[in-house]
Amino acid sequence: MKIQKEHINKIKDYLWEIPTSFRPQYMNVPARILASETLLDEIMEDRSLAQLVNVASLPGIQGASMVMPDVHEGYGFPIGGVAATSYPKGAISPGGIGYDINCGVRLLLSSLNRETVQESLGVLSRELYNHIPSGMGKGGSILLSSRKMHEVLRNGAEWAVSQGYAKAEDLRFIESNGKLEMADPRLVSERAKQRGKDQLGTIGSGNHFVEVDYIDEIYNTNIATAYGLECGQVVLLIHTGSRGLGHQVATDHIKIIMGAMEKYGINVPDRELACVPFDSEEGQNYFRAMCAAANFAWCNRELISWEARTAWAKVFGSEVDDLHLMYDVAHNIAKLEEHSVEGKSSLMIVHRKGATRAFGPGFPELPEKYLKAGQPVIIPGSMGTCSYVLAGTARSMEITFGSCCHGAGRRLSRTAAKKQVNAPVLKEELRSRGIYVEAGSFKGIAEEAPVAYKDINEVVETVHASGIATKVAKLKPMVVVKG
Ligand SMILES: Nc1nc2c(ncn2[C@@H]2O[C@H](COP(=O)(O)O)[C@@H](O)[C@H]2O)c(=O)[nH]1
Ligand SMILES: [Mn+2]
Ligand SMILES: [Mn+2]
């Protein structure tokens, strides 16, 4: 089914809708798109909107099936999608979370400024590359026994603190404090545990990275001050998830859930939307395993922070107590949250797949110094353009179930990017612009070239103008370590 422009109604600036009358036989709610006119044209080039319409058929879906402006097609659900289902009988669908459970980003702040680090960038890029294992299947220095694996899966980032890899203060600056209480390590298969046992502290390949940026522009001084951001300040951005462990959890449970659908009489237009009632045995088993994998990812980003802090101290001196965690937020996850649809508030299962939580001011989980500002929303762009920090708003609660975009979003497939991009030339070009790239392969650089991604400025303008998040600061890259 190809979605054409005539199927889409404009609701207001930046908000579009495909009504249920488009596919009344299976759409339970309308499908909504948050995009500028330009981005909408780009979005229509792949299967994202057909997938968005399919998601509207999920049992128990509430309000609307939604996509953010960075949307592109994914496994069953589009990447950049949000779907909230009713608790406890609505659907839980692993495809709505993605294979890299709790892929996410964190931002750490240094006390150094752009000029101070300029001379050290070459050394810094090599030290970060040497301290942080990257690349497909690359293991780290920690080998988890099965007892320790259970502790990590149960306790998330807290485990890293308990072992002396991080200070307890980090935990306050992580979504859900880096730990989902419903995690049950017994529901994570032996195969998944085997895959993950040497993967803590590793970034993996492709789209994942560790990046040194400087703050190029501040848009909202009050919020920037609350977050501790200043113009010219050097910061570190980490993007990765739950590695092979999370992938195996998704693989195992998708198979189980596909097999169980018939029992619950569930029919969806695409097998990749496989789902079961949240309160079913299979639904609970997946959710609790997903929580465990999410905990593994938070612990992973904490361990990578430890490696980065070690490299940092080696380059800038151990007396510099630096790289304080500003915030860590997931973009592939399902959470139980209270939301309101047509004035009625209730508990929902919010699937965010390539979408960032963006809760507004006053959200009690936030550290006190962010309470007035709202939750930090960290949006990476690409290795050659820029990234952004935004703040969640009350408006996001009204229109996107407290969610925002998670990046620029792909516009070229990996294969197409490899055909178009000459990686050695790109690496040199970035170097001439002051950006040091360290990567395991030229193939990885080509796949992740800036041209492979949409215009991050346009994506961020869209979420800012639609009111779901407020622009706070723009970051520009100086060092990029890629898998
Ligand atoms: N600052 C950087 N941003 C990057 C880089 N490579 C990718 N990206 C952006 O991250 C998001 C994450 O998307 P995901 O779906 O892979 O989780 C992506 O949309 C890009 O905009 C980079 O090297 N640096
Ligand atoms: Mn990601
Ligand atoms: Mn990922």
Side-chain angles (χ1 to χ4, degrees):
M1 158 217 356
K2 178 93 181 117
I3 313 280
Q4 309 287 350
K5 262 283 172 60
E6 66 261 26
H7 301 132
I8 306 174
N9 302 329
K10 182 169 183 173
I11 307 220
K12 57 170 107 151
D13 284 351
Y14 303 104
L15 190 60
W16 311 83
E17 182 176 279
I18 304 169
T20 48
S21 56
F22 175 62
R23 284 285 182 275
Q25 67 278 30
Y26 68 75
M27 283 176 78
N28 295 324
V29 291
R32 294 207 177 121
I33 309 140
L34 205 80
S36 62
E37 306 246 357
T38 321
L39 286 169
L40 182 64
D41 288 340
E42 210 163 353
I43 290 167
M44 291 184 66
E45 283 168 24
D46 70 12
R47 292 184 54 251
S48 313
L49 296 187
Q51 293 188 325
L52 171 71
V53 164
N54 287 344
V55 173
S57 72
L58 280 187
I61 188 162
Q62 299 292 296
S65 103
M66 296 223 55
V67 287
M68 304 295 117
D70 55 336
V71 64
H72 52 110
E73 73 183 62
Y75 175 86
F77 289 62
I79 296 165
V82 180
T85 55
S86 56
Y87 174 86
K89 302 239 168 269
I92 175 121
S93 176
I97 289 129
Y99 277 90
D100 190 4
I101 294 167
N102 189 4
C103 192
V105 277
R106 63 166 47 190
L107 187 71
L108 298 125
L109 308 183
S110 87
S111 61
L112 306 174
N113 63 39
R114 191 184 169 194
E115 285 74 37
T116 327
V117 303
Q118 203 62 48
E119 298 268 281
S120 315
L121 290 182
V123 182
L124 181 61
S125 65
R126 279 189 299 280
E127 288 300 340
L128 286 170
Y129 187 73
N130 291 338
H131 278 78
I132 306 170
S134 57
M136 181 120 77
K138 188 81 178 278
S141 59
I142 299 170
L143 192 63
L144 294 172
S145 62
S146 83
R147 182 176 58 81
K148 287 200 164 159
M149 173 61 88
H150 273 233
E151 288 169 11
V152 171
L153 295 174
R154 208 177 283 287
N155 298 322
E158 221 176 84
W159 185 84
V161 174
S162 73
Q163 304 296 305
Y165 294 112
K167 292 189 190 144
E169 67 175 31
D170 276 8
L171 304 178
R172 284 189 296 133
F173 297 92
I174 307 178
E175 173 175 342
S176 298
N177 302 123
K179 175 179 179 175
L180 296 181
E181 296 287 349
M182 286 180 78
D184 187 343
R186 293 168 305 180
L187 298 166
V188 174
S189 68
E190 261 328 297
R191 169 109 187 85
K193 288 169 184 160
Q194 281 301 322
R195 286 182 69 178
K197 72 177 181 195
D198 66 347
Q199 289 186 330
L200 274 188
T202 69
I203 55 177
S205 60
N207 50 346
H208 299 139
F209 61 85
V210 172
E211 190 175 278
V212 180
D213 291 322
Y214 67 92
I215 299 184
D216 180 51
E217 208 173 336
I218 298 278
Y219 304 99
N220 185 316
T221 314
N222 287 341
I223 303 183
T225 306
Y227 290 171
L229 308 176
E230 278 174 34
C231 223
Q233 183 181 13
V234 176
V235 298
L236 189 107
L237 192 57
I238 297 172
H239 171 226
T240 190
S242 51
R243 311 284 287 104
L245 180 137
H247 198 283
Q248 192 62 43
V249 166
T251 308
D252 294 339
H253 287 265
I254 286 173
K255 203 165 154 209
I256 296 167
I257 286 175
M258 274 183 175
M261 277 168 63
E262 206 183 321
K263 176 163 88 179
Y264 299 107
I266 294 177
N267 236 321
V268 278
D270 178 351
R271 264 184 80 69
E272 293 182 359
L273 297 180
C275 57
V276 284
F278 180 76
D279 65 356
S280 66
E281 188 187 344
E282 296 83 357
Q284 282 298 294
N285 288 353
Y286 167 66
F287 185 67
R288 287 168 187 277
M290 185 221 72
C291 290
N295 288 347
F296 186 86
W298 272 313
C299 191
N300 187 29
R301 291 199 285 277
E302 198 60 61
L303 263 298
I304 292 170
S305 306
W306 167 68
E307 292 160 346
R309 284 164 171 154
T310 310
W312 203 262
K314 195 162 170 202
V315 177
F316 298 113
S318 52
E319 66 282 1
V320 187
D321 175 24
D322 242 351
L323 300 184
H324 295 278
L325 182 56
M326 193 277 274
Y327 206 62
D328 178 309
V329 69
H331 54 231
N332 280 6
I333 203 157
K335 302 291 275 295
L336 287 180
E337 293 169 1
E338 188 93 18
H339 288 280
S340 177
V341 171
E342 288 165 12
K344 200 170 155 265
S345 180
S346 60
L347 201 57
M348 297 179 190
I349 306 130
V350 182
H351 299 67
R352 296 193 179 93
K353 183 199 194 165
T356 309
R357 193 184 72 175
F359 282 6
F363 174 51
E365 182 196 288
L366 289 177
E368 206 184 323
K369 61 179 180 175
Y370 299 169
L371 266 180
K372 253 175 87 178
Q375 181 217 299
V377 175
I378 306 161
I379 310 295
S382 80
M383 62 165 102
T385 52
C386 60
S387 301
Y388 284 88
V389 175
L390 294 93
T393 64
R395 187 97 182 98
S396 77
M397 299 315 244
E398 289 161 25
I399 50 179
T400 53
F401 299 99
S403 316
C404 184
C405 62
H406 84 308
R410 274 200 168 269
R411 53 178 286 276
L412 292 183
S413 69
R414 293 202 152 82
T415 314
K418 269 187 294 193
K419 273 196 196 136
Q420 262 188 44
V421 178
N422 181 328
V425 171
L426 172 64
K427 190 174 174 184
E428 267 318 299
E429 190 233 306
L430 291 171
R431 180 67 199 82
S432 71
R433 289 172 43 211
I435 305 167
Y436 290 72
V437 179
E438 294 282 350
S441 70
F442 279 122
K443 175 176 145 295
I445 296 181
E447 287 175 353
E448 291 302 309
V451 69
Y453 288 100
K454 298 186 205 188
D455 178 354
I456 184 66
N457 299 313
E458 178 91 8
V459 169
V460 166
E461 276 313 317
T462 299
V463 296
H464 176 82
S466 62
I468 59 166
T470 302
K471 275 196 324 182
V472 179
K474 183 201 275 184
L475 320 178
K476 288 253 178 95
M478 294 195 287
V479 168
V480 187
V481 176
K482 276 277 188 185

